[in-house]
Amino acid sequence: QITLKESGPTLVKPTQTLTLTCTFSGFSLSTSGVGVGWIRQPPGKALEWLALIYWDDDERYSPSLRSRLIITKDTSKNQVVLTMTNMDPVDTATYYCVHSGEFQPFDYWGQGTLVTVSS
Amino acid sequence: IVMTQSPATLSVSPGERATLSCRASQSVSSNLAWYQQKPGQAPRLLIYGASTRATGIPARFSGSGSGTEFTLTISSLQSEDFAVYYCQQYNKWPRGFGGGTKVEIK
């Protein structure tokens, strides 16, 4: 059974860099076609896709946030890491880790982690 | 690709039918998914491929459409169906979600 879990700081200061880790089980990110990504949701607002990395190291990013994001994977640890620089209060949101595939929806979601940006 | 959902809020009585709409600014073929989100929970995949129910999703949920116009229908609303529903295209990058439709009790 596929599970994903996000971890990282709950509070960051403006201008700081956020690093979130997704630890997953039930699948391998070395399997052809598999991808893991990140989606966020500000309180009371809609979902926003951020980034996704595939089994073959293909990386995809939201154009509006591309300059601030880096997504990496560690296949041996079953982890995907998202780094977001220059955090701002508008980045306050619940950040979700998701499983996907090529031309596939986001079929498995982590529970999400709320990140607050405040001084 | 911009995804637009309507209405923003839908008030329905239990047992009634609910019809939610999603429009894409350009064709996404059938690469369209619907998700359900309840308060305090992560979204759950309901429909993919515009019309295929995900594992464990009751038959009262159905999806239709292709290209730019899509519909999610809940045939007879149960108490557990009151939630926010999102559509999402996975035909092109960047992946995009609609703004959501909140289905509330009338």
Side-chain angles (χ1 to χ4, degrees):
Chain A
Q1 128 226 21
I2 289 176
T3 64
L4 307 101
K5 187 171 185 180
E6 307 86 353
S7 59
T10 58
L11 179 66
V12 298
K13 291 180 167 49
T15 75
Q16 286 187 337
T17 294
L18 171 68
T19 299
L20 293 173
T21 300
C22 173
T23 303
F24 56 84
S25 63
F27 67 96
S28 172
L29 203 36
S30 61
T31 300
S32 177
V34 174
V36 173
W38 291 90
I39 291 163
R40 72 178 180 180
Q41 184 174 39
K45 297 189 177 180
L47 301 163
E48 178 184 21
W49 173 76
L50 300 178
L52 193 142
I53 188 165
Y54 282 110
W55 64 285
D56 59 355
D57 293 323
D58 183 17
E59 300 168 25
R60 302 285 177 164
Y61 294 96
S62 165
S64 63
L65 292 167
R66 176 62 184 93
S67 63
R68 300 173 53 205
L69 295 174
I70 297 175
I71 189 169
T72 60
K73 66 182 178 66
D74 186 330
T75 304
S76 64
K77 292 183 178 179
N78 282 352
Q79 290 182 333
V80 169
V81 174
L82 180 74
T83 302
M84 181 180 289
T85 61
N86 195 24
M87 293 292 284
D88 183 271
V90 299
D91 297 313
T92 294
T94 296
Y95 288 75
Y96 294 101
C97 176
V98 293
H99 171 278
S100 184
E102 294 171 357
F103 284 101
Q104 296 295 322
F106 305 118
D107 51 2
Y108 294 92
W109 295 62
Q111 64 189 24
T113 185
L114 175 61
V115 178
T116 301
V117 184
S118 175
S119 55
Chain B
I1 301 176
V2 177
M3 307 301 293
T4 303
Q5 291 186 241
S6 61
T9 304
L10 187 61
S11 299
V12 185
S13 299
E16 288 189 340
R17 182 186 195 91
T19 302
L20 289 66
S21 296
C22 175
R23 173 177 293 178
S25 60
Q26 61 182 269
S27 177
V28 298
S29 186
S30 293
N31 293 318
L32 189 285
W34 291 93
Y35 302 85
Q36 176 193 66
Q37 187 178 31
K38 297 179 181 179
Q41 296 185 16
R44 174 176 69 148
L45 177 66
L46 292 178
I47 301 283
Y48 63 95
S51 61
T52 303
R53 282 189 302 277
T55 302
I57 302 303
R60 64 180 180 273
F61 291 92
S62 64
S64 63
S66 67
T68 62
E69 300 283 343
F70 301 88
T71 300
L72 174 69
T73 301
I74 312 171
S75 60
S76 177
L77 272 158
Q78 306 298 303
S79 57
E80 62 266 30
D81 301 334
F82 292 95
V84 179
Y85 293 83
Y86 294 96
C87 63
Q88 179 245 331
Q89 68 83 15
Y90 51 95
N91 193 57
K92 290 188 177 179
W93 298 101
R95 302 302 195 230
F97 290 90
T101 291
K102 181 180 181 180
V103 177
E104 64 177 24
I105 301 174
K106 187 174 182 179

Coordinates of all heavy atoms in Angstrom, one line a residue, chain A residues 39 41 45-49 52 54 60 63 96 103-107 109-111, chain B residues 31 33 35 37 41-45 48 86 88 90-91 93-95 97-99:
Chain A
I39 N 2.2 19.8 -3.9 CA 1.1 20.7 -4.1 C 0.9 21.4 -2.8 O 1.0 20.9 -1.7 CB -0.2 19.8 -4.5 CG1 0.0 19.2 -5.9 CG2 -1.4 20.7 -4.4 CD1 -0.9 18.1 -6.2
Q41 N -1.7 24.4 -0.5 CA -3.0 25.0 -0.4 C -3.0 26.0 0.7 O -3.0 25.7 1.9 CB -4.0 23.9 -0.1 CG -5.5 24.4 0.0 CD -6.4 23.2 0.1 OE1 -6.2 22.2 0.9 NE2 -7.6 23.3 -0.5
K45 N -8.1 28.4 0.6 CA -8.0 28.6 -0.9 C -7.8 27.3 -1.6 O -7.8 26.2 -1.1 CB -6.8 29.6 -1.1 CG -7.0 31.0 -0.5 CD -5.9 31.9 -0.9 CE -6.2 33.3 -0.4 NZ -5.2 34.3 -0.8
A46 N -7.6 27.5 -2.9 CA -7.6 26.3 -3.8 C -6.2 25.7 -3.8 O -5.2 26.2 -3.3 CB -8.0 26.7 -5.2
L47 N -6.1 24.5 -4.5 CA -4.9 23.8 -4.6 C -4.0 24.4 -5.7 O -4.5 24.9 -6.7 CB -5.2 22.3 -5.0 CG -6.1 21.6 -4.0 CD1 -6.6 20.3 -4.6 CD2 -5.2 21.2 -2.7
E48 N -2.7 24.3 -5.4 CA -1.7 24.9 -6.4 C -0.6 23.9 -6.6 O 0.1 23.5 -5.6 CB -1.1 26.2 -5.9 CG -0.1 26.8 -6.9 CD 0.6 28.1 -6.3 OE1 0.5 28.3 -5.1 OE2 1.1 28.8 -7.2
W49 N -0.4 23.4 -7.8 CA 0.7 22.5 -8.1 C 2.0 23.2 -8.1 O 2.1 24.3 -8.7 CB 0.5 21.8 -9.4 CG 1.6 20.9 -9.8 CD1 2.0 19.7 -9.3 CD2 2.6 21.2 -10.8 NE1 3.1 19.3 -10.0 CE2 3.5 20.2 -10.9 CE3 2.8 22.3 -11.6 CZ2 4.6 20.2 -11.7 CZ3 3.9 22.4 -12.5 CH2 4.8 21.3 -12.5
L52 N 7.3 18.5 -9.6 CA 7.2 17.0 -9.7 C 8.5 16.5 -10.2 O 9.1 17.1 -11.1 CB 6.0 16.6 -10.5 CG 5.7 15.1 -10.5 CD1 4.1 15.0 -10.5 CD2 6.3 14.3 -11.6
Y54 N 10.4 12.9 -11.7 CA 10.1 11.5 -12.2 C 11.3 10.6 -11.9 O 12.4 11.0 -11.6 CB 9.8 11.5 -13.7 CG 8.4 12.0 -14.1 CD1 8.2 13.2 -14.7 CD2 7.3 11.2 -13.8 CE1 6.9 13.7 -15.0 CE2 6.0 11.6 -14.1 CZ 5.9 12.9 -14.7 OH 4.6 13.3 -15.0
R60 N 9.8 18.9 -13.2 CA 8.9 19.9 -13.7 C 8.5 20.8 -12.6 O 8.3 20.4 -11.5 CB 7.6 19.1 -14.2 CG 7.9 18.1 -15.3 CD 8.1 18.7 -16.6 NE 8.5 17.7 -17.6 CZ 8.5 18.0 -18.9 NH1 8.1 19.2 -19.4 NH2 8.8 17.0 -19.8
P63 N 5.7 27.4 -13.5 CA 6.4 28.6 -14.0 C 6.5 29.8 -13.1 O 7.5 30.5 -13.1 CB 5.6 28.9 -15.3 CG 5.0 27.6 -15.7 CD 4.6 26.9 -14.4
Y96 N 1.4 19.5 0.4 CA 1.2 18.1 0.2 C 2.2 17.4 -0.7 O 2.6 18.0 -1.7 CB -0.2 17.8 -0.4 CG -1.4 18.3 0.4 CD1 -2.1 19.5 0.2 CD2 -1.9 17.5 1.5 CE1 -3.2 19.9 0.9 CE2 -3.0 17.8 2.2 CZ -3.6 19.0 1.9 OH -4.7 19.4 2.7
F103 N 1.4 11.3 -17.4 CA 0.0 11.4 -17.9 C -0.9 10.7 -16.9 O -1.9 10.0 -17.3 CB -0.2 10.9 -19.3 CG 0.4 11.9 -20.3 CD1 1.6 11.7 -20.9 CD2 -0.3 13.0 -20.7 CE1 2.1 12.5 -21.8 CE2 0.2 13.9 -21.6 CZ 1.4 13.7 -22.2
Q104 N -0.7 10.9 -15.7 CA -1.5 10.3 -14.6 C -1.9 11.4 -13.6 O -1.2 12.4 -13.4 CB -0.8 9.2 -13.9 CG -0.4 8.0 -14.8 CD -1.7 7.3 -15.3 OE1 -2.6 7.2 -14.5 NE2 -1.6 6.9 -16.5
P105 N -3.1 11.2 -12.9 CA -3.5 12.2 -11.9 C -2.6 12.0 -10.6 O -1.7 11.1 -10.6 CB -4.9 11.8 -11.7 CG -5.0 10.3 -11.9 CD -4.0 10.1 -13.1
F106 N -3.0 12.7 -9.6 CA -2.3 12.6 -8.3 C -3.1 11.6 -7.5 O -4.2 11.9 -6.9 CB -2.2 13.9 -7.6 CG -1.5 15.0 -8.5 CD1 -2.2 16.1 -8.8 CD2 -0.2 14.8 -8.9 CE1 -1.5 17.1 -9.6 CE2 0.5 15.7 -9.6 CZ -0.2 16.9 -10.0
D107 N -2.7 10.3 -7.5 CA -3.6 9.3 -7.0 C -3.4 9.0 -5.5 O -4.3 8.4 -4.9 CB -3.5 8.0 -7.8 CG -2.0 7.5 -8.1 OD1 -1.1 8.2 -7.5 OD2 -1.9 6.5 -8.8
W109 N -2.0 10.9 -1.8 CA -1.6 12.1 -1.2 C -1.1 11.9 0.2 O -1.6 11.0 0.9 CB -2.8 13.1 -1.1 CG -3.3 13.5 -2.4 CD1 -3.9 12.7 -3.4 CD2 -3.4 14.9 -2.9 NE1 -4.3 13.5 -4.5 CE2 -4.0 14.8 -4.2 CE3 -3.1 16.1 -2.3 CZ2 -4.3 16.0 -4.9 CZ3 -3.3 17.2 -3.1 CH2 -3.9 17.2 -4.3
G110 N -0.1 12.7 0.7 CA 0.3 12.7 2.0 C -0.8 13.4 2.9 O -1.7 14.0 2.3
Q111 N -0.6 13.4 4.2 CA -1.6 14.1 5.0 C -1.5 15.6 5.0 O -2.4 16.3 5.4 CB -1.4 13.6 6.5 CG -0.1 14.0 7.1 CD 0.2 13.3 8.4 OE1 -0.4 12.3 8.7 NE2 1.1 13.9 9.2
Chain B
N31 N -7.7 13.9 -20.2 CA -6.7 13.9 -19.1 C -7.2 14.9 -18.0 O -6.6 15.9 -17.7 CB -5.3 14.3 -19.6 CG -4.8 13.2 -20.5 OD1 -4.9 12.0 -20.2 ND2 -4.1 13.6 -21.6
A33 N -9.0 15.0 -14.0 CA -9.3 14.3 -12.8 C -10.2 15.2 -11.9 O -10.2 16.4 -12.0 CB -8.1 14.0 -12.0
Y35 N -11.2 15.6 -7.7 CA -10.9 15.3 -6.3 C -11.9 15.8 -5.4 O -12.6 16.8 -5.6 CB -9.5 15.9 -6.0 CG -8.4 15.5 -6.9 CD1 -8.1 16.2 -8.1 CD2 -7.5 14.5 -6.5 CE1 -7.1 15.9 -8.9 CE2 -6.5 14.1 -7.4 CZ -6.3 14.8 -8.5 OH -5.2 14.5 -9.4
Q37 N -12.4 17.0 -1.3 CA -11.6 17.4 -0.1 C -12.6 17.8 1.0 O -13.4 18.7 0.8 CB -10.7 18.6 -0.4 CG -9.8 18.9 0.8 CD -8.8 20.0 0.6 OE1 -9.1 20.9 -0.2 NE2 -7.6 19.9 1.2
Q41 N -8.7 17.5 5.8 CA -8.2 16.3 5.1 C -7.5 16.6 3.8 O -7.8 17.7 3.2 CB -9.3 15.3 4.8 CG -10.0 14.8 6.1 CD -11.1 13.7 5.7 OE1 -11.1 13.2 4.6 NE2 -11.9 13.4 6.7
A42 N -6.7 15.7 3.4 CA -6.0 15.8 2.1 C -7.1 15.5 1.0 O -8.0 14.8 1.3 CB -4.9 14.9 1.9
P43 N -6.9 16.1 -0.2 CA -7.8 15.7 -1.3 C -7.7 14.2 -1.6 O -6.7 13.6 -1.3 CB -7.3 16.5 -2.4 CG -6.7 17.7 -1.8 CD -6.0 17.1 -0.6
R44 N -8.8 13.7 -2.1 CA -8.9 12.3 -2.5 C -9.3 12.2 -4.0 O -10.2 12.9 -4.4 CB -9.9 11.5 -1.6 CG -10.2 10.1 -2.0 CD -11.2 9.4 -1.1 NE -12.5 9.8 -1.2 CZ -13.6 9.1 -1.0 NH1 -13.4 7.8 -0.7 NH2 -14.8 9.6 -1.0
L45 N -8.6 11.3 -4.7 CA -8.9 11.2 -6.1 C -10.2 10.4 -6.3 O -10.4 9.4 -5.7 CB -7.8 10.4 -6.8 CG -8.0 10.0 -8.3 CD1 -8.0 11.3 -9.2 CD2 -6.9 9.1 -8.8
Y48 N -10.7 9.8 -12.8 CA -9.6 10.2 -13.7 C -9.9 9.8 -15.1 O -10.9 9.0 -15.3 CB -8.3 9.5 -13.2 CG -8.3 8.0 -13.2 CD1 -7.8 7.3 -14.3 CD2 -8.8 7.3 -12.2 CE1 -7.8 5.9 -14.4 CE2 -8.8 5.9 -12.2 CZ -8.4 5.2 -13.3 OH -8.4 3.8 -13.3
Y86 N -12.6 19.5 -6.6 CA -11.6 20.2 -7.6 C -11.4 19.4 -8.8 O -11.4 18.1 -8.8 CB -10.2 20.4 -6.9 CG -10.2 21.3 -5.7 CD1 -10.3 20.8 -4.4 CD2 -10.0 22.7 -5.9 CE1 -10.2 21.7 -3.3 CE2 -10.0 23.5 -4.8 CZ -10.1 23.0 -3.5 OH -10.0 23.9 -2.5
Q88 N -8.8 18.9 -12.2 CA -7.4 19.1 -12.5 C -7.0 18.5 -13.8 O -7.5 17.4 -14.1 CB -6.5 18.5 -11.4 CG -5.0 18.6 -11.6 CD -4.4 17.2 -11.8 OE1 -4.8 16.2 -11.3 NE2 -3.3 17.3 -12.5
Y90 N -4.2 17.0 -16.4 CA -2.8 16.5 -16.5 C -2.4 16.2 -17.9 O -1.7 15.2 -18.2 CB -2.7 15.3 -15.6 CG -3.7 14.2 -15.7 CD1 -3.5 13.1 -16.5 CD2 -4.9 14.2 -15.0 CE1 -4.4 12.1 -16.7 CE2 -5.9 13.2 -15.2 CZ -5.6 12.1 -16.0 OH -6.6 11.1 -16.1
N91 N -2.9 17.0 -18.8 CA -2.6 16.8 -20.2 C -1.3 17.6 -20.6 O -0.6 17.1 -21.5 CB -3.7 17.3 -21.1 CG -3.6 16.9 -22.5 OD1 -3.5 15.7 -22.9 ND2 -3.6 17.9 -23.4
W93 N 1.9 20.6 -19.2 CA 2.5 21.3 -18.1 C 2.3 22.8 -18.2 O 2.3 23.3 -19.3 CB 4.0 21.0 -18.1 CG 4.4 19.6 -17.9 CD1 4.7 18.7 -18.9 CD2 4.3 18.8 -16.7 NE1 4.9 17.5 -18.3 CE2 4.7 17.5 -17.0 CE3 4.1 19.2 -15.3 CZ2 4.8 16.5 -16.0 CZ3 4.1 18.2 -14.4 CH2 4.5 16.9 -14.7
P94 N 2.1 23.5 -17.1 CA 2.1 23.0 -15.7 C 0.7 22.4 -15.4 O -0.3 22.8 -16.0 CB 2.3 24.3 -14.9 CG 1.7 25.4 -15.8 CD 2.0 25.0 -17.2
R95 N 0.7 21.5 -14.5 CA -0.5 20.9 -14.0 C -1.3 22.0 -13.4 O -0.8 22.9 -12.7 CB -0.3 19.7 -13.0 CG 0.6 18.6 -13.6 CD 0.0 18.0 -14.8 NE 0.6 16.7 -15.1 CZ 1.1 16.4 -16.3 NH1 1.0 17.3 -17.3 NH2 1.6 15.2 -16.6
F97 N -5.2 23.2 -11.4 CA -6.5 22.9 -10.7 C -7.5 24.0 -10.9 O -7.1 25.2 -11.1 CB -6.2 22.8 -9.2 CG -5.5 21.6 -8.7 CD1 -4.1 21.6 -8.6 CD2 -6.1 20.4 -8.4 CE1 -3.4 20.5 -8.2 CE2 -5.4 19.3 -8.0 CZ -4.0 19.3 -7.9
G98 N -8.7 23.6 -10.9 CA -9.8 24.6 -10.8 C -9.9 25.2 -9.4 O -9.2 24.8 -8.5
G99 N -10.7 26.2 -9.3 CA -10.8 26.9 -8.1 C -11.7 26.2 -7.0 O -11.8 26.7 -5.9

